Amino acid sequence: TATATATATAAPANGVDRIASAEHAARGSPAPPTLGLRRRQQPAATPLSPAAGAARPPTKPPVPPVPLGQSLAAKPPQPDPASAAEDAAASSTPSRPARRMSEFQRASPREEEAASLTPRAAVPRMEGAPEAEGAWDEGDGLRVLTAGGLVRAVVLPDGEVRDGTGRTLAYIEANGEVGSHEMEFLGRVHRTAGTVCNRRDEHVGEVDIGHGYVRNAQGSVVAEVSKDGSVSGNGQRTAGYVQGFTFEAMPRLAAYVLLVDPAFVAGF
């Protein structure tokens, strides 16, 4: 009984000793391995590069772009302001040849060819045109005057058409054919039918000898000639005068207005 009592009394003492030994080991003995689960103490960092956010001093040449994985504290190279301004201006302002090219692309090749190859009569030169002086004989042909009395054109008996300065504009033949100053066919007046066609035999107008009317392809009166030779346009305003006029000369006048000089009555 004494032995058992001693053993029971010693057990708590042994437990206390084990706890004390464990606490002592925790304070002074090395810790057991943790299999990597315990956070390891980081060694003191040695500053080898500028701190995050610090500006890096400028270098020449410019620093290359920051590779992936490198610290983002370093700023990427900045472009030269002058070069950037030139590049922006070049990219935002198209050159003139590009605009001319875009214009050529919008035009149809057939339209360009037609515009360059279509024969036309010469345009009367009004700069330096003389004023009409003296009487005009009917046998000298038709003399076309502006509303201000300047000589715009003369249709000679042989069919040649000249402006007031003597330049040849076109030819209106007795058979109704009309040619340019370069002897290119422009169209024809059909006296019997009273119609006017262009060089492609397309209907461009007609002449009414009895009323002194010249109509366009749509049937609108573009010129009206009175007995005294005054000429008014579609707006009933006086465009000019024709000296030596008779109603027998209406086919020649229609050829002049529709095929040679449409600007004579335009806007009037």
Side-chain angles (χ1 to χ4, degrees):
T1 304
T3 303
T5 303
T7 303
T9 305
N14 292 337
V16 172
D17 292 340
R18 286 195 301 269
I19 294 174
S21 298
E23 292 178 353
H24 183 270
R27 288 193 302 268
S29 300
T34 60
L35 299 178
L37 300 178
R38 179 177 294 182
R39 181 179 298 177
R40 296 182 180 179
Q41 184 178 0
Q42 299 293 333
T46 302
L48 298 179
S49 61
R56 177 169 294 183
T59 59
K60 295 182 180 181
V63 180
V66 180
L68 293 176
Q70 185 175 333
S71 173
L72 297 179
K75 295 182 178 180
Q78 301 296 324
D80 180 50
S83 300
E86 292 178 359
D87 295 341
S91 62
S92 60
T93 305
S95 60
R96 291 185 181 275
R99 286 197 295 268
R100 287 198 296 267
M101 180 62 67
S102 66
E103 292 173 1
F104 288 142
Q105 290 172 349
R106 286 195 300 269
S108 167
R110 180 174 297 180
E111 292 175 353
E112 292 179 6
E113 182 181 2
S116 61
L117 298 180
T118 301
R120 293 182 177 86
V123 178
R125 181 182 298 168
M126 299 309 301
E127 183 179 357
E131 294 184 0
E133 297 180 354
W136 182 260
D137 191 341
E138 180 181 333
D140 295 332
L142 303 175
R143 186 162 67 170
V144 181
L145 309 180
T146 65
L150 298 179
V151 178
R152 186 176 182 91
V154 175
V155 183
L156 299 176
D158 63 358
E160 183 180 2
V161 183
R162 300 177 182 176
D163 66 6
T165 64
R167 294 171 56 248
T168 299
L169 305 179
Y171 298 90
I172 302 176
E173 303 296 338
N175 61 1
E177 292 184 354
V178 181
S180 72
H181 59 295
E182 295 179 343
M183 305 298 293
E184 296 173 306
F185 181 68
L186 298 180
R188 179 193 301 270
V189 178
H190 299 277
R191 292 178 176 269
T192 304
T195 58
V196 182
C197 298
N198 61 15
R199 62 189 302 268
R200 292 181 295 274
D201 204 28
E202 298 170 341
H203 179 76
V204 296
E206 57 188 27
V207 54
D208 186 337
I209 298 177
H211 294 87
Y213 293 158
V214 177
R215 295 185 174 91
N216 60 15
Q218 291 73 38
S220 300
V221 176
V222 296
E224 180 180 356
V225 188
S226 62
K227 293 181 180 181
D228 61 356
S230 61
V231 182
S232 58
N234 182 262
Q236 300 297 316
R237 292 184 298 169
T238 301
Y241 306 92
V242 179
Q243 293 180 321
F245 171 76
T246 64
F247 283 102
E248 294 296 327
M250 278 299 299
R252 283 188 293 168
L253 186 59
Y256 177 81
V257 169
L258 295 176
L259 298 177
V260 178
D261 187 17
F264 171 52
V265 295
F268 293 97

